[in-house]
Amino acid sequence: MPEELKAKRMEIAHVLFMDIVGYSTRLTDEQQALVDELNQIVRSSDEFNKAAAAGRLMKIPTGDGMALIFYNSPEQPVECAVEISRALRHHPGLPVRMGVHSGPVSAVTDVNDRVNAAGVGINLAQQLMDCGDAGHILLSKRVAEDLQQNGRWRPHLHDLGEVELKHGERAHVFNFYTDDAGNSDPPKKKAMSSTAAAAGTIDLERDRVSICVLPFANISGDAEQEYFSDGISDDIITDLSKVSALHIVSRNTAFTFKGKPVDVRQVAAQLHVSHVLEGSVRKAAGRVRITAQLIDGSNDSHVWAERYDRDLNDIFAIQDEISHAIVDALKVKLLPEEKKAIEQHGTENVDAYNLFLMARQTYTTGSEGDPRRLDAIIRMCRRAVEIDPNYADAWALIALAEVNLRWRVGRQGGDGGLAAAERALELNPNLADAHAIKARILSEENRNDEASREIEIALRLDPESYQANRCAALLRFRQKRIKEATTYWEKALTLDEGDFGSAGMLVSTYTALGDQEGAQRAAKITLERCEKNLTRDANNGAAMGHGANALAELGQRERAKEWMERALLVDPDNVTMRYNFGCALANHLNDKDAALEMLDPAFQKMGAGFINHAKVDPDFDCIRDDPRFKAMVAAAEARVASETRKNSKRKSKSIRLG
């Protein structure tokens, strides 16, 4: 059983409940044989084994079936159910039905003094399963709402309407099936709401409390104050996301509307949300004026509106008031721990907060490979933690900038952000991004077991964290777990509309998996996002690198070469860009000599993490055995080892002098 559940005794979990249909009518020896057969199929599931290996799975036998309790994501039990369902196609004599629900699970001790689990999360999963026939995978509305945000799952969610459960209770149920998993027939045992059952289509938006927080307009008359209005929007999104009864559109999706005239009804329809929050911020002379209005997306009417005109030091109180007012206006139940979470701030010092907002804006609007921006972020955050040494978010951002300086830019010296990440976690052990950044640092140092532990914590704390999903993808890629890496990069793609890097990596992973359709789709997304980025920053080498690789995948060979030639004139020393050009030349343009020539200067600068990445990258499989490639890798490893020894000697000398 996971240690976290033992300690906390209560946690939101994602439950897959299953049993064998008609089990009680079988003879005793048949019953045991069927259970053994089911156990063997379940143990063969990749998702089952992955969660078990990470210590994030609880297994409860139920006689004629079992409950599997996952702790990271609602996608886990569904992924596991699909794997089991596919395997069951080869076992026609084993009729199994399944139910999935996300809800609270608490630890209990049974009569044999064994730790067990109970709670609404398990009970409802079992009741959903009871509604099904052999082959059905039935989901609660809560799980379906989470899954429908991912294009991979949405086509397979079929609304069955409300179903009557035991004791007269009712639940909204969805039937999950694909061409090779699940049961497409409506369950026979329960009466479904006729409209939804007949349509057989998903209608998650109905009666759904979901909000898009549009970027608040900066009306300060000073464009340099944009960071502050964006920061207010960010923090309101973060606060509302802590309310389990609400679904909040991600920051990156919401910010695609920044600076554009919007029609609220159109936004609501496009994003499938019921409400839209918009507002404005004016900051000047130590005062702040914030207006906010919550609008019903179906009829454009105001549900709530307020204006706050306060001293700047009251900014945290204003944010709390806005979040509470929205919860009250929507008549949403706020759990005690959610109320406490909303009212917790990283700092109570306005000056430190202001510096952090400037640093965060610098990061989100720039390139991770730009050393000038990264240095500026570090300076601003260092000043913030001088003012408030306990500002965990600022320490985490320092760590993120430092890891990029060392591993993307190639700057030597320092610890790559490890001390800053550990300081952030010392101050706030529940900061998901800090765990993810630490995992990234450990991964770059090839400490993959430690990195895995950190990334599992990050994903448990916040499955919707962009940094957590992106870092998880990179780690799994370097562990040669390509299918898992693909899943995390797909998730990251949905969390940041401007993220071309994750799309670019999906070109590689889908190619490695032999999924040409997936690679083409990823290439189109990559190219579109790179082109948008280059309209804002024509010298972004990372965008040019991924864009050229996408063009090569799409068969636009000449255009890909033109991008490379232009980019090398603009930024010839960009390691990441050269690396991606090497991928394009080796894997898509079939020019091994050109690929090796392109990679040589990159290998002379890249750090240990990048070298380890190249050693497992399937894009280089076609040149991996070439003596020139082997020599480059060996020389790079020798250089890094030498630099590491020199740094260690400098540290030792510094300690002795100190």
Side-chain angles (χ1 to χ4, degrees):
M1 176 181 186
E3 293 298 324
E4 290 85 350
L5 187 57
K6 292 180 185 178
K8 295 173 67 175
R9 311 295 290 182
M10 173 70 75
E11 189 170 356
I12 297 297
H14 314 289
V15 183
L16 168 59
F17 211 108
M18 70 187 82
D19 75 3
I20 301 169
V21 178
Y23 177 84
S24 61
T25 65
R26 304 295 186 101
L27 298 175
T28 303
D29 57 341
E30 289 181 314
Q31 290 178 345
Q32 187 58 54
L34 289 172
V35 170
D36 290 344
E37 190 176 359
L38 178 59
N39 287 338
Q40 185 176 355
I41 290 171
V42 171
R43 285 194 291 266
S44 69
S45 161
D46 289 340
E47 196 66 37
F48 174 94
N49 288 308
K50 181 177 69 172
R56 301 297 295 157
L57 175 69
M58 187 175 183
K59 299 153 279 188
I60 302 177
T62 59
D64 60 347
M66 67 190 75
L68 302 179
I69 305 173
F70 298 84
Y71 291 89
N72 286 346
S73 162
E75 296 186 29
Q76 290 180 293
V78 178
E79 186 80 67
C80 188
V82 169
E83 290 179 340
I84 293 168
S85 181
R86 287 171 178 161
L88 286 168
R89 296 286 174 102
H90 304 290
H91 300 262
L94 181 59
V96 174
R97 58 185 179 175
M98 294 178 265
V100 181
H101 176 60
S102 297
V105 173
S106 58
V108 296
T109 303
D110 64 21
V111 69
N112 295 314
D113 291 327
R114 292 176 301 194
V115 178
N116 211 317
V120 175
I122 295 175
N123 296 340
L124 188 51
Q126 182 178 13
Q127 289 177 306
L128 289 169
M129 177 201 69
D130 287 339
C131 296
D133 306 316
H136 277 127
I137 303 172
L138 301 182
L139 316 182
S140 67
K141 183 181 179 182
R142 175 170 180 174
V143 172
E145 286 179 343
D146 288 333
L147 295 185
Q148 69 95 30
Q149 299 300 313
N150 189 325
R152 175 190 174 196
W153 301 114
R154 187 179 177 88
H156 309 304
L157 300 168
H158 304 273
D159 193 346
L160 298 177
E162 288 196 339
V163 177
E164 186 172 343
L165 307 176
K166 294 179 180 179
H167 313 301
E169 296 181 6
R170 300 182 70 82
H172 203 126
V173 180
F174 291 80
N175 187 15
F176 181 96
Y177 60 85
T178 68
D179 291 339
D180 60 352
N183 181 352
S184 60
D185 294 333
K188 300 173 183 176
K189 296 187 178 183
K190 301 291 178 180
M192 307 296 171
S193 61
S194 57
T195 302
T201 56
I202 190 166
D203 186 18
L204 292 173
E205 288 71 44
R206 181 181 55 204
D207 301 325
R208 206 166 159 245
V209 183
S210 48
I211 304 174
C212 173
V213 180
L214 293 174
F216 279 31
N218 170 33
I219 59 171
S220 301
D222 180 358
E224 292 185 359
Q225 294 298 327
E226 198 82 9
Y227 75 90
F228 190 81
S229 57
D230 285 355
I232 297 299
S233 309
D234 278 335
D235 289 340
I236 292 173
I237 290 172
T238 299
D239 285 347
L240 292 176
S241 296
K242 296 171 183 174
V243 182
S244 59
L246 297 176
H247 169 71
I248 308 300
V249 170
S250 73
R251 184 260 187 209
N252 294 294
T253 297
F255 268 64
T256 60
F257 296 97
K258 181 176 171 63
K260 302 175 183 177
V262 296
D263 180 298
V264 168
R265 287 194 186 187
Q266 185 178 350
V267 171
Q270 179 179 337
L271 300 180
H272 308 293
V273 296
S274 57
H275 295 79
V276 174
L277 180 71
E278 60 181 8
S280 63
V281 179
R282 181 192 297 274
K283 173 174 169 277
R287 302 282 298 180
V288 62
R289 174 180 293 175
I290 297 177
T291 63
Q293 44 272 339
L294 183 66
I295 302 168
D296 187 324
S298 64
N299 55 26
D300 210 18
S301 64
H302 282 67
V303 178
W304 164 84
E306 188 60 82
R307 186 179 78 172
Y308 304 87
D309 195 345
R310 307 271 188 85
D311 186 89
L312 185 58
N313 289 318
D314 290 335
I315 188 61
F316 306 116
I318 296 173
Q319 291 176 6
D320 291 346
E321 289 176 32
I322 291 174
S323 298
H324 284 292
I326 291 170
V327 168
D328 292 342
L330 294 173
K331 297 180 174 57
V332 169
K333 183 179 179 181
L334 190 64
L335 300 175
E337 58 268 27
E338 294 171 349
K339 181 178 185 295
K340 182 179 179 181
I342 287 175
E343 293 173 354
Q344 285 181 338
H345 303 288
T347 183
E348 296 298 329
N349 187 289
V350 172
D351 292 332
Y353 176 68
N354 195 55
L355 285 161
F356 173 73
L357 291 185
M358 284 193 285
R360 186 168 66 181
Q361 180 82 344
T362 302
Y363 175 78
T364 57
T365 57
S367 168
E368 285 189 329
D370 185 342
R372 293 170 301 176
R373 285 181 179 272
L374 296 172
D375 284 332
I377 290 167
I378 292 170
R379 285 194 298 271
M380 286 184 275
C381 285
R382 286 287 178 189
R383 177 58 185 143
V385 297
E386 284 178 11
I387 297 170
D388 181 357
N390 297 324
Y391 198 174
D393 298 271
W395 283 109
L397 192 49
I398 290 171
L400 181 58
E402 288 184 344
V403 70
N404 278 299
L405 270 176
R406 181 164 184 177
W407 302 109
R408 287 180 67 93
V409 178
R411 182 178 296 175
Q412 297 301 312
D415 64 357
L418 184 59
E422 290 179 337
R423 176 59 176 157
L425 291 171
E426 179 186 343
L427 295 167
N428 184 0
N430 294 321
L431 191 57
D433 280 5
H435 283 286
I437 295 163
K438 183 177 179 181
R440 165 82 183 281
I441 296 165
L442 294 170
S443 173
E444 298 289 5
E445 296 179 353
N446 211 27
R447 296 159 64 181
N448 288 333
D449 289 342
E450 296 171 78
S452 289
R453 288 193 289 271
E454 289 296 327
I455 206 64
E456 293 295 345
I457 295 171
L459 290 167
R460 174 177 57 81
L461 290 169
D462 186 2
E464 300 300 307
S465 164
Y466 169 69
Q467 288 294 344
N469 280 279
R470 196 175 65 148
C471 291
L474 184 63
L475 174 61
R476 297 308 180 221
F477 182 87
R478 292 181 179 177
Q479 293 173 321
K480 297 185 179 181
R481 293 157 66 174
I482 303 297
K483 187 176 180 181
E484 291 178 54
T486 300
T487 301
Y488 287 122
W489 267 315
E490 284 282 9
K491 180 72 171 180
L493 206 64
T494 67
L495 295 172
D496 186 345
E497 298 287 336
D499 177 14
F500 57 80
S502 294
M505 290 305 303
L506 285 170
V507 176
S508 295
T509 61
Y510 279 122
T511 299
L513 293 170
D515 184 346
Q516 189 58 32
E517 182 180 344
Q520 288 277 306
R521 177 181 61 84
K524 290 175 183 176
I525 296 171
T526 304
L527 182 59
E528 179 184 357
R529 292 187 176 187
C530 287
E531 288 177 331
K532 284 183 179 179
N533 186 283
L534 290 168
T535 60
R536 298 190 301 270
D537 180 7
N539 297 328
N540 189 326
M544 288 186 278
H546 280 294
N549 191 49
L551 286 167
E553 163 63 28
L554 294 169
Q556 300 183 42
R557 300 173 60 91
E558 294 307 316
R559 192 177 174 204
K561 291 178 180 179
E562 289 173 3
W563 275 45
M564 293 183 200
E565 290 172 2
R566 179 169 63 87
L568 289 170
L569 291 173
V570 173
D571 193 4
D573 299 323
N574 189 309
V575 172
T576 303
M577 184 183 77
R578 278 188 171 273
Y579 185 99
N580 286 318
F581 287 168
C583 292
L585 290 163
N587 206 37
H588 303 300
L589 299 178
N590 300 316
D591 192 339
K592 297 180 182 180
D593 291 336
L596 292 165
E597 184 179 346
M598 181 70 69
L599 289 170
D600 188 37
F603 270 105
Q604 293 177 26
K605 292 185 176 181
M606 64 176 64
F610 227 149
I611 296 168
N612 290 325
H613 188 96
K615 288 166 68 175
V616 300
D617 193 338
D619 281 351
F620 294 150
D621 284 351
C622 59
I623 59 174
R624 195 168 310 285
D625 293 330
D626 190 296
R628 291 169 293 177
F629 184 82
K630 291 181 176 180
M632 287 180 196
V633 172
E637 289 181 319
R639 172 180 53 79
V640 168
S642 175
E643 291 169 350
T644 301
R645 288 193 296 270
K646 289 178 182 178
N647 286 333
S648 297
K649 288 180 180 179
R650 281 196 292 267
K651 287 181 181 178
S652 299
K653 183 177 180 181
S654 176
I655 292 171
R656 290 196 301 271
L657 291 174

